[in-house]
Every structure is written in structure tokens, then in C-alpha cells.
Amino acid sequence: MSTTGEELDELDRAVLQLEAEHWKYRGAKESAIRSRLGLSPVHYYQRLNSLISSEAAARHAPMLISRLRRARSR
């Protein structure tokens, strides 16, 4: 994971892509985390939390990271 580096790795980009999706049914996101990324929800959210602080992630998905930073600061 590249939280301070210049680029995001493939898993970081996949985490951001999954987080940008909208989930209609309860449990669908957790199921997608396990099946698409091979991560437990706990590890997914730990990685996502690191990405929220990452400038590389902000360059890759500026609107998503801005929204997540606002939500975290509440």
C-alpha cells in the first residue's frame, strides 16, 4: 500500500473503486469486499482509512477522497 508514495498500487485503486459504488442491499458491500478484493471488511476499512489520508489517493479520486475526509471529520 502506498499511503505516502507517488502512486497507488492495484489493490488501492480497487478499494477506491469499490468505495465509490453505491450499495442497494444490506451486506452487498461486505460480500463484494470479500469476493472482489479477497479482504475481510476490517482489513478493507483499515486500508481505506489509510487511503483517505493519502495525497496519491486524493490525486486519483479527488471527489471521493474529499467526501470521505469530510465524513471522517464529523
Side-chain angles (χ1 to χ4, degrees), residues 9-67:
D9 63 25
E10 185 177 328
L11 183 57
D12 290 338
R13 290 189 299 273
V15 165
L16 292 173
Q17 181 179 3
L18 194 136
E19 187 61 27
E21 293 182 32
H22 297 283
W23 304 96
K24 187 173 182 177
Y25 299 107
R26 185 177 206 185
K29 183 175 182 180
E30 287 75 14
S31 177
I33 290 168
R34 290 181 191 283
S35 65
R36 287 195 223 167
L37 304 178
L39 297 174
S40 70
V42 170
H43 287 117
Y44 170 84
Y45 286 109
Q46 288 172 340
R47 192 165 190 125
L48 179 62
N49 193 47
S50 294
L51 286 168
I52 292 171
S53 301
S54 165
E55 290 307 313
R59 286 190 301 275
H60 180 77
M63 292 177 63
L64 174 64
I65 295 299
S66 292
R67 178 176 58 83

